[in-house]
Amino acid sequence: MGYAFSRDDVAYLGSAAGVAALAEVGAFALTSTSMLSDLDKLRRAHGDRAAALVETVRLRRRSTAKLADAGEWLFTDDALQQATPTVVARHRAERLKGRTVHDVTCSIGAELAELARVCPAVIGSDLDDVRLAIAAHNLGVRSLDAREFGSAAIDSAGDPRTTRVGGARNVLLAKADALRPCSTAEVVIADPARRADGRRTHDPAKLQPPLPDLLDAYVGRDLAVKCAPGLDFDKLAWAGEIEVASLDGAVREACLWSPGLAESGVARRATVLSSSRVPEILTDTLPDDIPDRAPGEWIIDPDGAVVRAGLVRHYAAKHGLWQLDPRIAYLTGDTVPAGMRGFRILDRMDFREKPLRAELHRRDCGPLEILTRGVDLDPDALRAKLKPRGTQPHSLVITRIGKTATVFLCATP
Protein backbone atom coordinates (compact mmCIF):
# COMPACT_ATOMS: atom_id res chain seq x y z
CA MET A 1 0.00 0.00 0.00
CA GLY A 2 2.96 2.35 0.50
CA TYR A 3 3.34 5.23 2.94
CA ALA A 4 0.10 6.93 4.04
CA PHE A 5 0.66 10.62 3.28
CA SER A 6 -1.13 13.33 5.26
CA ARG A 7 -1.96 16.90 4.28
CA ASP A 8 0.82 17.98 6.63
CA ASP A 9 3.26 15.81 4.66
CA VAL A 10 2.12 17.43 1.42
CA ALA A 11 2.55 20.92 2.86
CA TYR A 12 6.05 20.07 4.08
CA LEU A 13 7.16 18.42 0.85
CA GLY A 14 6.05 21.47 -1.11
CA SER A 15 7.84 23.91 1.19
CA ALA A 16 11.35 25.24 0.65
CA ALA A 17 12.61 22.97 3.44
CA GLY A 18 10.88 19.96 1.88
CA VAL A 19 12.24 20.70 -1.59
CA ALA A 20 15.77 20.93 -0.19
CA ALA A 21 15.33 17.69 1.75
CA LEU A 22 14.01 15.89 -1.33
CA ALA A 23 17.06 16.98 -3.29
CA GLU A 24 19.26 15.54 -0.53
CA VAL A 25 17.35 12.24 -0.43
CA GLY A 26 17.49 12.03 -4.23
CA ALA A 27 21.23 11.45 -3.99
CA PHE A 28 20.69 8.17 -2.13
CA ALA A 29 20.42 4.87 -4.02
CA LEU A 30 17.34 3.62 -2.06
CA THR A 31 17.70 0.15 -3.55
CA SER A 32 16.73 -3.12 -1.88
CA THR A 33 20.33 -3.67 -0.83
CA SER A 34 20.99 -0.13 0.41
CA MET A 35 17.60 0.74 1.90
CA LEU A 36 18.30 -0.17 5.53
CA SER A 37 21.53 1.78 5.58
CA ASP A 38 19.99 4.72 3.69
CA LEU A 39 16.99 4.87 6.02
CA ASP A 40 19.20 4.85 9.08
CA LYS A 41 21.13 7.88 7.82
CA LEU A 42 18.01 9.72 6.70
CA ARG A 43 16.15 9.16 9.97
CA ARG A 44 19.06 10.68 11.84
CA ALA A 45 18.98 13.70 9.55
CA HIS A 46 15.21 14.14 9.07
CA GLY A 47 13.51 12.27 11.89
CA ASP A 48 9.85 11.48 11.31
CA ARG A 49 9.95 13.14 7.87
CA ALA A 50 12.30 10.48 6.48
CA ALA A 51 9.56 8.03 5.45
CA ALA A 52 7.62 10.63 3.44
CA LEU A 53 10.82 11.87 1.80
CA VAL A 54 11.99 8.39 0.82
CA GLU A 55 8.58 7.37 -0.50
CA THR A 56 8.33 10.54 -2.58
CA VAL A 57 11.76 10.06 -4.16
CA ARG A 58 11.01 6.43 -4.96
CA LEU A 59 7.61 7.30 -6.47
CA ARG A 60 9.14 10.07 -8.57
CA ARG A 61 11.64 7.59 -9.97
CA ARG A 62 8.84 5.15 -10.83
CA SER A 63 6.72 7.90 -12.38
CA THR A 64 9.18 8.62 -15.20
CA ALA A 65 8.05 5.52 -17.09
CA LYS A 66 4.44 6.71 -17.01
CA LEU A 67 4.23 10.48 -16.68
CA ALA A 68 6.00 13.24 -18.58
CA ASP A 69 7.13 16.50 -17.00
CA ALA A 70 6.30 15.23 -13.51
CA GLY A 71 9.77 15.36 -12.00
CA GLU A 72 8.73 17.71 -9.18
CA TRP A 73 5.31 16.13 -8.59
CA LEU A 74 4.06 14.49 -5.43
CA PHE A 75 2.28 11.12 -5.39
CA THR A 76 0.85 8.36 -3.28
CA ASP A 77 1.56 4.79 -4.30
CA ASP A 78 -2.08 4.03 -5.16
CA ALA A 79 -2.54 7.31 -7.01
CA LEU A 80 0.53 6.71 -9.16
CA GLN A 81 -0.67 3.22 -10.02
CA GLN A 82 -4.09 4.58 -10.99
CA ALA A 83 -2.81 7.66 -12.86
CA THR A 84 -3.48 7.77 -16.59
CA PRO A 85 -0.21 7.63 -18.57
CA THR A 86 0.63 10.97 -20.16
CA VAL A 87 0.44 9.66 -23.73
CA VAL A 88 -3.09 8.30 -23.13
CA ALA A 89 -4.26 11.42 -21.29
CA ARG A 90 -2.84 13.65 -24.04
CA HIS A 91 -4.70 11.69 -26.70
CA ARG A 92 -8.00 12.11 -24.83
CA ALA A 93 -7.34 15.80 -24.21
CA GLU A 94 -6.90 16.37 -27.95
CA ARG A 95 -10.42 14.98 -28.50
CA LEU A 96 -11.73 17.60 -26.05
CA LYS A 97 -9.63 20.51 -27.26
CA GLY A 98 -11.35 23.88 -26.92
CA ARG A 99 -14.05 22.72 -24.45
CA THR A 100 -14.49 23.40 -20.76
CA VAL A 101 -14.00 20.14 -18.88
CA HIS A 102 -14.72 18.96 -15.32
CA ASP A 103 -12.79 15.90 -14.10
CA VAL A 104 -14.98 14.75 -11.20
CA THR A 105 -12.44 12.13 -9.97
CA CYS A 106 -9.29 14.17 -10.53
CA SER A 107 -7.01 12.46 -7.96
CA ILE A 108 -3.46 13.91 -8.19
CA GLY A 109 -4.09 15.75 -11.46
CA ALA A 110 -2.46 13.62 -14.18
CA GLU A 111 -5.45 14.04 -16.51
CA LEU A 112 -5.93 17.71 -15.60
CA ALA A 113 -2.36 18.55 -16.58
CA GLU A 114 -2.98 17.45 -20.17
CA LEU A 115 -6.46 18.96 -20.38
CA ALA A 116 -5.10 22.30 -19.19
CA ARG A 117 -2.78 22.44 -22.21
CA VAL A 118 -5.60 22.48 -24.75
CA CYS A 119 -8.81 23.46 -22.92
CA PRO A 120 -9.80 27.02 -21.98
CA ALA A 121 -11.06 26.04 -18.51
CA VAL A 122 -10.52 22.85 -16.52
CA ILE A 123 -12.13 21.89 -13.22
CA GLY A 124 -10.92 19.09 -10.98
CA SER A 125 -12.72 17.70 -7.96
CA ASP A 126 -12.30 14.74 -5.62
CA LEU A 127 -13.36 13.63 -2.14
CA ASP A 128 -9.85 12.70 -1.02
CA ASP A 129 -8.30 15.66 0.82
CA VAL A 130 -4.73 14.40 0.46
CA ARG A 131 -5.02 13.76 -3.26
CA LEU A 132 -6.56 17.20 -3.76
CA ALA A 133 -3.65 18.77 -1.87
CA ILE A 134 -1.23 16.84 -4.06
CA ALA A 135 -3.08 17.91 -7.22
CA ALA A 136 -2.88 21.52 -6.08
CA HIS A 137 0.88 21.15 -5.65
CA ASN A 138 1.33 19.35 -8.97
CA LEU A 139 -0.67 21.91 -10.95
CA GLY A 140 0.38 25.03 -9.06
CA VAL A 141 -3.11 26.01 -7.91
CA ARG A 142 -5.04 26.10 -4.65
CA SER A 143 -8.20 24.20 -3.77
CA LEU A 144 -11.38 26.24 -3.43
CA ASP A 145 -13.96 25.84 -0.70
CA ALA A 146 -17.54 24.99 -1.66
CA ARG A 147 -18.72 28.62 -1.79
CA GLU A 148 -15.80 29.79 -3.93
CA PHE A 149 -16.05 26.77 -6.21
CA GLY A 150 -19.74 27.23 -6.96
CA SER A 151 -19.14 30.75 -8.27
CA ALA A 152 -15.80 30.14 -10.01
CA ALA A 153 -16.96 27.00 -11.79
CA ILE A 154 -19.88 28.81 -13.38
CA ASP A 155 -17.62 31.71 -14.37
CA SER A 156 -15.07 29.32 -15.88
CA ALA A 157 -17.67 27.78 -18.16
CA GLY A 158 -19.04 31.15 -19.18
CA ASP A 159 -15.85 33.15 -19.61
CA PRO A 160 -12.70 31.17 -18.77
CA ARG A 161 -10.39 34.09 -19.52
CA THR A 162 -11.60 35.94 -16.40
CA THR A 163 -10.78 33.10 -13.98
CA ARG A 164 -7.44 33.01 -12.20
CA VAL A 165 -6.68 30.82 -9.20
CA GLY A 166 -3.23 30.74 -7.60
CA GLY A 167 -0.60 30.33 -10.32
CA ALA A 168 -2.88 28.75 -12.92
CA ARG A 169 -4.96 30.58 -15.45
CA ASN A 170 -7.40 27.85 -16.39
CA VAL A 171 -7.56 25.25 -13.58
CA LEU A 172 -9.90 25.09 -10.58
CA LEU A 173 -9.75 22.46 -7.81
CA ALA A 174 -12.31 21.68 -5.12
CA LYS A 175 -13.55 18.92 -2.84
CA ALA A 176 -16.78 17.55 -4.28
CA ASP A 177 -18.75 14.31 -4.65
CA ALA A 178 -18.60 12.93 -8.19
CA LEU A 179 -22.26 11.90 -7.93
CA ARG A 180 -23.44 15.45 -7.17
CA PRO A 181 -23.05 17.66 -10.27
CA CYS A 182 -21.62 21.02 -9.25
CA SER A 183 -20.41 22.75 -12.41
CA THR A 184 -21.68 23.83 -15.79
CA ALA A 185 -18.63 22.60 -17.69
CA GLU A 186 -19.37 21.40 -21.21
CA VAL A 187 -17.79 17.96 -20.66
CA VAL A 188 -17.57 15.74 -17.58
CA ILE A 189 -14.76 13.17 -17.24
CA ALA A 190 -14.77 10.41 -14.62
CA ASP A 191 -12.41 7.58 -13.74
CA PRO A 192 -14.17 5.30 -11.22
CA ALA A 193 -11.86 3.27 -8.99
CA ARG A 194 -11.64 -0.29 -10.27
CA ARG A 195 -11.27 -2.05 -6.94
CA ALA A 196 -13.96 -3.29 -4.57
CA ASP A 197 -13.15 -4.82 -1.18
CA GLY A 198 -9.46 -4.65 -2.09
CA ARG A 199 -9.91 -6.63 -5.30
CA ARG A 200 -9.99 -5.52 -8.92
CA THR A 201 -13.53 -5.68 -10.28
CA HIS A 202 -15.03 -5.81 -13.75
CA ASP A 203 -18.56 -5.31 -12.41
CA PRO A 204 -19.75 -1.78 -13.38
CA ALA A 205 -21.98 -1.64 -10.30
CA LYS A 206 -18.99 -2.23 -7.98
CA LEU A 207 -16.81 0.57 -9.32
CA GLN A 208 -16.32 3.59 -7.05
CA PRO A 209 -18.43 5.51 -7.79
CA PRO A 210 -20.69 2.84 -9.37
CA LEU A 211 -20.97 3.29 -13.12
CA PRO A 212 -24.80 3.14 -13.20
CA ASP A 213 -25.00 5.87 -10.54
CA LEU A 214 -22.47 7.99 -12.41
CA LEU A 215 -24.43 7.73 -15.65
CA ASP A 216 -27.66 8.64 -13.85
CA ALA A 217 -26.02 11.68 -12.27
CA TYR A 218 -25.04 13.15 -15.64
CA VAL A 219 -27.97 12.24 -17.86
CA GLY A 220 -28.05 14.58 -20.84
CA ARG A 221 -24.46 15.81 -20.27
CA ASP A 222 -21.48 15.13 -22.51
CA LEU A 223 -19.62 12.48 -20.55
CA ALA A 224 -16.38 10.48 -20.92
CA VAL A 225 -15.86 7.62 -18.47
CA LYS A 226 -12.59 5.71 -18.18
CA CYS A 227 -13.09 2.02 -17.43
CA ALA A 228 -11.14 -1.21 -17.22
CA PRO A 229 -10.77 -2.76 -20.68
CA GLY A 230 -11.99 -6.07 -19.25
CA LEU A 231 -15.58 -4.85 -18.86
CA ASP A 232 -18.19 -6.76 -20.86
CA PHE A 233 -19.05 -4.02 -23.33
CA ASP A 234 -21.89 -5.99 -24.91
CA LYS A 235 -23.76 -5.96 -21.59
CA LEU A 236 -23.38 -2.20 -21.18
CA ALA A 237 -25.76 -1.37 -24.06
CA TRP A 238 -23.79 1.87 -24.41
CA ALA A 239 -25.40 4.32 -26.80
CA GLY A 240 -22.21 6.20 -27.63
CA GLU A 241 -18.68 5.12 -28.55
CA ILE A 242 -16.42 2.66 -26.74
CA GLU A 243 -12.72 3.35 -27.28
CA VAL A 244 -10.06 0.85 -26.18
CA ALA A 245 -6.56 2.30 -25.91
CA SER A 246 -3.19 0.59 -25.64
CA LEU A 247 0.26 2.05 -25.09
CA ASP A 248 3.44 0.36 -26.28
CA GLY A 249 1.62 -2.95 -26.65
CA ALA A 250 -0.17 -2.97 -23.28
CA VAL A 251 -3.93 -2.35 -23.13
CA ARG A 252 -4.45 0.55 -20.74
CA GLU A 253 -8.13 1.40 -20.60
CA ALA A 254 -11.51 1.67 -22.24
CA CYS A 255 -13.23 5.04 -22.49
CA LEU A 256 -16.99 5.42 -22.84
CA TRP A 257 -17.84 8.49 -24.91
CA SER A 258 -21.42 9.69 -24.69
CA PRO A 259 -23.24 10.28 -28.02
CA GLY A 260 -22.47 14.00 -28.00
CA LEU A 261 -18.72 13.29 -27.88
CA ALA A 262 -18.67 10.26 -30.19
CA GLU A 263 -17.70 10.44 -33.82
CA SER A 264 -20.73 10.10 -36.06
CA GLY A 265 -21.49 6.46 -36.85
CA VAL A 266 -18.70 5.07 -34.64
CA ALA A 267 -19.59 2.56 -31.92
CA ARG A 268 -16.16 0.93 -31.39
CA ARG A 269 -12.66 2.40 -31.68
CA ALA A 270 -9.21 0.92 -31.12
CA THR A 271 -6.44 3.42 -30.43
CA VAL A 272 -2.93 1.98 -30.59
CA LEU A 273 -0.60 4.49 -28.97
CA SER A 274 3.18 4.42 -28.91
CA SER A 275 5.86 6.39 -27.11
CA SER A 276 7.86 6.57 -30.35
CA ARG A 277 5.44 6.25 -33.28
CA VAL A 278 2.30 7.99 -34.50
CA PRO A 279 -0.88 6.33 -33.18
CA GLU A 280 -2.93 3.92 -35.25
CA ILE A 281 -6.68 4.36 -34.93
CA LEU A 282 -9.34 1.99 -36.24
CA THR A 283 -13.11 2.24 -35.99
CA ASP A 284 -15.98 -0.07 -36.86
CA THR A 285 -16.82 2.14 -39.83
CA LEU A 286 -13.83 0.72 -41.74
CA PRO A 287 -14.24 -2.27 -44.12
CA ASP A 288 -13.96 -5.72 -42.57
CA ASP A 289 -14.05 -7.94 -45.66
CA ILE A 290 -11.12 -10.37 -45.64
CA PRO A 291 -10.41 -13.51 -47.68
CA ASP A 292 -10.70 -17.08 -46.44
CA ARG A 293 -7.26 -18.48 -47.29
CA ALA A 294 -4.64 -20.90 -46.08
CA PRO A 295 -1.99 -19.48 -43.74
CA GLY A 296 0.47 -17.09 -45.35
CA GLU A 297 4.16 -16.71 -44.58
CA TRP A 298 3.66 -14.86 -41.31
CA ILE A 299 1.47 -14.95 -38.20
CA ILE A 300 0.58 -11.62 -36.61
CA ASP A 301 -0.83 -11.23 -33.10
CA PRO A 302 -2.86 -8.00 -33.28
CA ASP A 303 -2.52 -5.31 -30.62
CA GLY A 304 -4.68 -5.94 -27.56
CA ALA A 305 -6.70 -2.78 -28.15
CA VAL A 306 -7.75 -4.11 -31.55
CA VAL A 307 -8.77 -7.44 -30.03
CA ARG A 308 -10.65 -5.93 -27.05
CA ALA A 309 -12.49 -3.50 -29.32
CA GLY A 310 -13.63 -6.34 -31.58
CA LEU A 311 -11.91 -4.88 -34.64
CA VAL A 312 -9.65 -7.77 -35.65
CA ARG A 313 -11.25 -8.15 -39.09
CA HIS A 314 -11.10 -4.39 -39.66
CA TYR A 315 -7.39 -4.39 -38.81
CA ALA A 316 -6.82 -7.37 -41.11
CA ALA A 317 -8.66 -5.70 -44.01
CA LYS A 318 -6.63 -2.52 -43.58
CA HIS A 319 -3.31 -4.38 -43.71
CA GLY A 320 -4.08 -7.06 -46.29
CA LEU A 321 -4.22 -9.90 -43.75
CA TRP A 322 -6.69 -12.67 -42.97
CA GLN A 323 -7.51 -14.94 -40.02
CA LEU A 324 -6.06 -18.35 -39.29
CA ASP A 325 -9.56 -19.26 -38.10
CA PRO A 326 -12.66 -17.01 -38.14
CA ARG A 327 -13.16 -17.44 -34.39
CA ILE A 328 -9.53 -16.76 -33.38
CA ALA A 329 -7.78 -13.37 -33.25
CA TYR A 330 -4.50 -14.54 -34.79
CA LEU A 331 -3.93 -13.09 -38.25
CA THR A 332 -1.77 -14.27 -41.12
CA GLY A 333 -0.40 -12.83 -44.33
CA ASP A 334 2.60 -12.52 -46.60
CA THR A 335 3.82 -9.23 -45.08
CA VAL A 336 4.00 -7.78 -41.56
CA PRO A 337 2.46 -4.35 -40.83
CA ALA A 338 5.00 -1.68 -39.88
CA GLY A 339 5.76 -1.66 -36.17
CA MET A 340 4.24 -5.10 -35.53
CA ARG A 341 5.92 -8.35 -34.54
CA GLY A 342 5.58 -11.08 -37.10
CA PHE A 343 6.23 -14.79 -36.58
CA ARG A 344 7.59 -16.40 -39.75
CA ILE A 345 6.12 -19.88 -40.14
CA LEU A 346 8.69 -22.67 -40.42
CA ASP A 347 6.37 -25.66 -40.01
CA ARG A 348 2.78 -26.60 -39.16
CA MET A 349 1.77 -29.66 -37.14
CA ASP A 350 -1.20 -31.10 -35.32
CA PHE A 351 -0.59 -30.46 -31.66
CA ARG A 352 0.92 -33.61 -30.14
CA GLU A 353 3.67 -33.32 -27.56
CA LYS A 354 5.93 -36.21 -28.60
CA PRO A 355 6.29 -35.30 -32.32
CA LEU A 356 6.62 -31.64 -31.38
CA ARG A 357 9.39 -32.38 -28.89
CA ALA A 358 11.24 -34.42 -31.49
CA GLU A 359 10.98 -31.63 -34.08
CA LEU A 360 12.24 -29.00 -31.63
CA HIS A 361 15.18 -31.25 -30.76
CA ARG A 362 15.95 -31.75 -34.45
CA ARG A 363 16.04 -27.98 -34.92
CA ASP A 364 18.35 -27.48 -31.89
CA CYS A 365 15.64 -25.41 -30.18
CA GLY A 366 16.72 -23.52 -27.06
CA PRO A 367 14.90 -20.37 -25.87
CA LEU A 368 11.21 -21.04 -26.62
CA GLU A 369 8.39 -18.49 -26.71
CA ILE A 370 4.89 -20.00 -26.61
CA LEU A 371 1.73 -18.10 -27.63
CA THR A 372 -1.72 -19.67 -27.31
CA ARG A 373 -5.30 -18.81 -28.23
CA GLY A 374 -8.36 -21.03 -28.32
CA VAL A 375 -6.65 -23.92 -26.51
CA ASP A 376 -6.47 -24.71 -22.80
CA LEU A 377 -2.71 -24.79 -22.26
CA ASP A 378 -0.25 -23.47 -19.71
CA PRO A 379 2.76 -22.27 -21.75
CA ASP A 380 5.18 -22.66 -18.83
CA ALA A 381 4.03 -26.22 -18.09
CA LEU A 382 4.25 -27.13 -21.78
CA ARG A 383 7.75 -25.67 -22.08
CA ALA A 384 8.89 -27.85 -19.17
CA LYS A 385 7.49 -30.94 -20.91
CA LEU A 386 9.08 -30.10 -24.27
CA LYS A 387 12.51 -29.68 -22.63
CA PRO A 388 14.16 -27.40 -25.20
CA ARG A 389 17.91 -27.62 -24.53
CA GLY A 390 19.50 -26.39 -27.74
CA THR A 391 20.86 -23.02 -28.80
CA GLN A 392 18.45 -21.69 -31.45
CA PRO A 393 15.49 -19.53 -30.35
CA HIS A 394 12.05 -20.47 -31.71
CA SER A 395 8.42 -19.53 -31.14
CA LEU A 396 5.33 -21.71 -31.02
CA VAL A 397 1.90 -20.35 -31.93
CA ILE A 398 -0.67 -22.86 -30.72
CA THR A 399 -4.31 -22.35 -31.66
CA ARG A 400 -7.39 -24.11 -32.93
CA ILE A 401 -8.04 -24.38 -36.67
CA GLY A 402 -11.60 -25.58 -36.96
CA LYS A 403 -11.76 -28.34 -34.34
CA THR A 404 -8.08 -29.25 -34.53
CA ALA A 405 -5.48 -28.01 -32.07
CA THR A 406 -2.65 -26.85 -34.32
CA VAL A 407 0.89 -25.69 -33.62
CA PHE A 408 2.88 -23.39 -35.89
CA LEU A 409 6.62 -23.59 -35.37
CA CYS A 410 8.02 -20.14 -36.09
CA ALA A 411 11.24 -18.20 -36.16
CA THR A 412 11.45 -15.88 -33.13
CA PRO A 413 11.19 -12.25 -34.26
Side-chain angles (χ1 to χ4, degrees), residues 218-233:
Y218 296 98
V219 171
R221 301 279 297 272
D222 283 342
L223 179 65
V225 184
K226 295 176 281 182
C227 298
L231 287 179
D232 188 339
F233 303 131

Side-chain angles (χ1 to χ4, degrees), residues 4 39 47 78 176 377:
L39 274 175
D78 283 348
L377 283 174

Side-chain angles (χ1 to χ4, degrees), residues 95-327:
R95 290 192 63 168
L96 299 173
K97 188 174 183 177
R99 301 173 185 249
T100 55
V101 181
H102 184 174
D103 183 345
V104 297
T105 54
C106 73
S107 187
I108 60 171
E111 194 92 22
L112 294 176
E114 295 308 312
L115 290 166
R117 298 176 191 270
V118 296
C119 297
V122 179
I123 303 162
S125 59
D126 206 291
L127 281 175
D128 189 310
D129 288 318
V130 172
R131 291 193 184 193
L132 274 176
I134 291 175
H137 168 90
N138 293 344
L139 300 171
V141 303
R142 68 180 177 89
S143 297
L144 305 182
D145 62 28
R147 179 184 56 78
E148 289 178 300
F149 180 61
S151 172
I154 292 172
D155 289 345
S156 73
D159 185 3
R161 292 180 297 279
T162 65
T163 300
R164 187 177 183 85
V165 179
R169 188 173 180 80
N170 64 337
V171 178
L172 302 172
L173 288 175
K175 184 174 181 178
D177 187 338
L179 296 179
R180 301 184 66 180
C182 57
S183 81
T184 57
E186 296 172 273
V187 179
V188 174
I189 287 181
D191 185 5
R194 301 166 193 174
R195 290 188 179 274
D197 301 323
R199 298 180 179 180
R200 185 171 293 275
T201 180
H202 296 299
D203 182 349
K206 292 184 178 180
L207 301 175
Q208 295 298 322
L211 182 57
D213 296 351
L214 195 62
L215 301 182
D216 287 344
Y218 296 98
V219 171
R221 301 279 297 272
D222 283 342
L223 179 65
V225 184
K226 295 176 281 182
C227 298
L231 287 179
D232 188 339
F233 303 131
D234 291 331
K235 291 183 178 179
L236 286 176
W238 184 248
E241 174 191 316
I242 299 173
E243 177 182 26
V244 183
S246 66
L247 175 60
D248 296 330
V251 180
R252 292 292 185 169
E253 66 174 43
C255 186
L256 311 180
W257 298 91
S258 63
L261 298 175
E263 183 180 340
S264 178
V266 174
R268 296 289 178 92
R269 179 188 303 265
T271 299
V272 181
L273 299 168
S274 168
S275 300
S276 58
R277 302 190 308 274
V278 297
E280 179 172 17
I281 298 175
L282 296 99
T283 71
D284 55 356
T285 61
L286 295 174
D288 65 350
D289 293 329
I290 56 176
D292 181 9
R293 293 174 53 186
E297 183 180 352
W298 299 88
I299 292 176
I300 294 92
D301 188 9
D303 186 272
V306 174
V307 177
R308 295 284 181 90
L311 301 178
V312 171
R313 292 179 62 88
H314 303 74
Y315 179 87
K318 177 181 177 181
H319 293 286
L321 306 173
W322 56 97
Q323 291 178 278
L324 288 174
D325 180 278
R327 296 162 297 180

Side-chain angles (χ1 to χ4, degrees), residues 39-113:
L39 274 175
D40 183 58
K41 296 174 184 176
L42 291 170
R43 282 172 181 149
R44 289 199 298 267
H46 299 284
D48 292 342
R49 299 290 190 188
L53 291 165
V54 168
E55 182 78 345
T56 297
V57 169
R58 296 184 73 191
L59 291 173
R60 282 180 174 178
R61 291 174 182 175
R62 279 173 45 197
S63 74
T64 57
K66 191 174 193 180
L67 302 175
D69 305 321
E72 303 302 316
W73 278 29
L74 302 179
F75 305 95
T76 70
D77 184 74
D78 283 348
L80 178 56
Q81 290 184 50
Q82 296 162 8
T84 303
T86 296
V87 175
V88 179
R90 190 166 293 169
H91 164 75
R92 183 170 18 256
E94 283 297 323
R95 290 192 63 168
L96 299 173
K97 188 174 183 177
R99 301 173 185 249
T100 55
V101 181
H102 184 174
D103 183 345
V104 297
T105 54
C106 73
S107 187
I108 60 171
E111 194 92 22
L112 294 176

